[in-house]
Amino acid sequence: MDSKRLLSGLILVAFLLGNAGISFAGDIKPNKKRGQVYFRMVCTVCHMQQAEKTIPPSSRTMKQWRAYFKADKHDVSGTTRSAVSYYMSRDYRVAIKDSNKAAKKFLKLSDEQINADVREFVIKGAKDSDTPASCN
Amino acid sequence: MKAEAVKADRQAGISRRGFLGLCAAMGTGAALQLRSFKAIGKNNDKPGSWSRGEVIPSTCNMCVNRCGIQCHVVNGVLEKIDGDYHNPKTLGGTCAKGQAGIMTLYDPDRIKYPLIRAGARGEGKWRRASWEEAYEYVADNLDKIMDKYGPEGLLWSSSTDLTEIFFLKLGVFLGTPNFARHATLCLASRNVGYFGTMGGVPDSDLANAKYIIMFGANRLESFELPYNRDLISGIENGAKLVVVDPRMTVTAAKGTWVPIKPRTDMALTLALMHVLIKEDLYDKDFVDKLTVGFDALKEHVAQYSPEWAEKETDIPARTIVEMAREMAVAAPAVVVFPGRRSSWYTNDTQFRRTLPMLMALLGAFDVRGGNFVNAGKVKLGEFDWEMAPFDVAPCVDGFDEGPFPLAAHDDGGYVMRRDAIIDETGKYPVRGWMIYKQNPLAAVVDGNRTLKMMEKMDFICSIDVQPSQTAWMADIILPETTYLERLDPIWTTGGKVKFISIRQPVVKPQGEARTILDIIKGIAAAMDKRRTFDPPMSKVFDFTMEDYVDKQLAPLPIDRKTLARQGIWMPGQQKWKLGAYRRGEKDFRTPSGKIEFVSERFRRNGYDPMPVYEPPAEEAGRQRLVTGRYAWFTHSANQNNRWLNAIHPENDIWINPDVAREKGIKDGGYVMVRSRVGKVKIKAYVTPRIRPDTVFICHGFGTNSAGQTTLYGKGGADQVLMESKADVITNNQALHETWVDITKV
């Protein structure tokens, strides 16, 4: 096996993967792992602090999550900003970048990209999915 | 060596003869006595049964069950280990292994310094190295492999324990996607079978059950104290224990042994369901409210009559009918024990699926004496890890991309991964292997194939307390402290009672052994000298175990020092509640929210949505090999423990007397056992406790490591004989798919 060629192929894949967010809206490829990191380090960290609980992907069904993201209302109690998309936006990432490693690392990615990533992770980890996910 | 060993015995303050006497009194021999088992608790009702010295509470690590222990330390020497009567699960009990922990600590064979290979691999020539040199050596090799193949050129193997997290994190931060963990060596198929049926694996209320059925599970010799206590109480309270197993284990000896023909367990469970439905003995209310797919099940099992099953299983049709009726009478106080162990056959996941199905027909869930869902655990504080790289390469074998959609992808599939590496059929070469707390040469089917994988490796590092078979083949061995010499992350557990417990150092480390966290820190710092990481590796691990534990304890009203004095901590609120599912307050983690006779997850992934039976292949004139353990051994971990080895110095192969007679084999004589992949010379134990078409070898013997001086040269290795087969849905290795020829030598 030609390991050099294989390696350069891999580097190319890694390159494409790393830059997926800078591509144009429309050909966004969701990255589940990035969604997981974002969900864990931005969403869950705040839920632990402000709501003293976690809201794992496995707490809802795929259908419920889809409806949740479509409605784009963040929480019924109304203690936080009203749209869940806000917490995935660049504005929010800029606001918390000094205290949040994930927000800082993903600062440049588009709102659509982070949205797609988080959604991918949450829906693939829903209660009725094949791989229900906790918050860790 | 002998003098050293005697010294170690003496240092430990107890003679081997004394220890054996103790074990016998505890009833850990093959003829485990109910009464003496109860006496364990009685003897330990009062503290100070070993009156001298300081008493330090901690958590055992001689197997995976984490019983509470009290360590009696006199002048810095551990003299005695008792059970901790404060521990609400183990209630002062400790088994032979638990007590022999002293000998794991003071074993003269222990690795006390870093050792770098000085001869050929496996030759046993080592030179002692300083820790500094050892870290540089490991980092040099990891760095070289990462240069040439990328971080994905590294394979990261470890088994589940409280400390595994630190080892895993090093792999994660270096950027390898290739882990090979415990799951597919053990319980992946059971997990997925239950997951596809009811969303998770339930617990068992053994103490209050009226009927307990176990398929192959050998609880009393796996020595899981909490379970054993409950099982014994259950039997004493009049429960009927039925053990379905081709071999009469100690557990089977305590109940009714149903000597099933191996690989036909699913025929029995399907036929039991057939009878329950046909005779209208199932729990209609439960089935209506909490399950889906009953009509399809009824139609499906109509073909599996007891008469049909008799031909498959060798269990008389009448017995099957009686079993079903007795279960129905005892229902809902029936435990269909999920088992915990390795998969046996290539159809294991589908077989496991039939267990919760049977349970559901009996309505034996969420009810006293039945199966139930763990009431939750004490929530610990979370450690704030640095952010790990996530844009890593895909796994070498594509395990996470399709072939096993329901498997736990991060754990890797051991058999598949090994094939991809040896045959170079993977996406790229893997050339470095880091191994912690795992002995793959013994643990994985077809040991010779694991040796082949080692040949592919430019570098192998083993982190272990003893020169295990795998460590013996490594390029460097890094000595870890035993559980008696270190602080571990806090353990939290649930079930009927929830509590946390501490594992803490009771004596100073032997030689220069270090904790895994210190070892990882050393490697991390050495890696930072060679490469740039963001964040730097040393920053990722810039904390102490005390920091880690303090973080865990932060949300709780107890601090580390107090916990160290108490050993355990329980929240005041301890109600074990049942009935939430029955009342509709909770639903199952399945697509339908109910127990699925027809599994939606299986259906949408292209598997049979209902378990379909296929008869096993037969090999005339040969025997099917099965494996298992005796009460004093854990996997391959403590056969070299001098005290435990004294109970059972050499393993043997169980052969039915009819077969022995036919082949001229005598009890105690030696035989040669041959399979398609290996051969082993081993002593014969001729016994009617096993079926004629089956032979049994206790796992963990036949070491290739001359460093294990007590064990070396004794007994035969089962895994050398086992063919490389795996469950088709999870890639969980299948341990009972090998046929062997036996000849007298």
Side-chain angles (χ1 to χ4, degrees), chain A residues 1 3-4 6-7 10 13-14 17-18 31-37 40-41 44-45 48 54 56 58-59 61-62 100-103 105-106 109 126-133 135-136, chain B residues 147-150 152 177 195 379 382-394 400 405-407 409-410 424-429 534 539 587-592 600-601 604-605:
Chain A
M1 192 182 293
S3 61
K4 270 224 186 88
L6 197 106
L7 195 72
L10 278 172
V13 170
L17 205 79
N31 182 325
K32 185 178 153 194
K33 277 201 175 135
R34 186 164 50 218
Q36 178 175 13
V37 174
R40 173 78 187 84
M41 302 210 38
T44 301
V45 163
M48 303 258 281
T54 59
S58 62
S59 63
T61 63
M62 296 190 266
N100 190 298
K101 292 162 208 151
K105 172 140 186 175
F106 303 139
L109 295 177
K127 180 156 71 173
D128 57 340
S129 72
D130 291 338
T131 47
C135 286
N136 311 330
Chain B
D147 265 351
K148 217 163 154 191
Y149 306 103
E152 58 272 23
F195 171 63
K379 270 222 171 77
E382 284 202 39
F383 190 76
D384 186 20
W385 286 98
E386 290 286 333
M387 208 171 104
F390 63 93
D391 35 4
V392 294
D400 52 346
L406 293 175
H409 293 140
D410 291 342
E424 307 238 357
T425 49
K427 296 174 197 265
Y428 44 78
D534 175 29
K539 186 155 176 253
D587 54 5
F588 297 88
R589 295 198 161 190
T590 54
S592 64
E600 168 59 14
R601 287 195 173 106
R604 72 186 177 208
N605 283 294

Side-chain angles (χ1 to χ4, degrees), chain B residues 173-285:
Chain B
F173 277 90
L174 288 177
T176 181
N178 295 314
F179 294 84
R181 296 185 61 211
H182 181 69
T184 56
L185 300 179
C186 184
L187 40 65
S189 54
R190 180 206 64 173
N191 289 355
V192 171
Y194 272 83
F195 171 63
T197 314
M198 59 183 288
V201 185
D203 224 317
S204 303
D205 183 15
L206 294 164
N208 299 306
K210 292 197 193 128
Y211 191 106
I212 301 163
I213 185 162
M214 294 189 171
F215 290 85
N218 184 10
R219 281 273 55 106
L220 293 177
E221 287 183 275
S222 305
F223 238 96
E224 201 170 339
L225 265 177
Y227 274 111
N228 289 7
R229 282 191 171 286
D230 277 8
L231 178 56
I232 297 296
S233 312
I235 295 171
E236 283 188 336
N237 293 338
K240 175 160 187 174
L241 169 67
V242 174
V243 181
V244 181
D245 195 319
R247 174 172 78 101
M248 188 172 135
T249 59
V250 169
T251 312
K254 293 281 164 249
T256 304
W257 177 35
V258 179
I260 193 168
K261 181 169 151 192
R263 207 189 196 279
T264 66
D265 303 67
M266 198 203 284
L268 174 60
T269 47
L270 290 168
L272 288 170
M273 290 195 265
H274 172 102
V275 178
L276 289 174
I277 295 174
K278 191 173 164 207
E279 301 194 357
D280 220 18
L281 296 172
Y282 66 96
D283 186 332
K284 284 179 207 66
D285 191 45

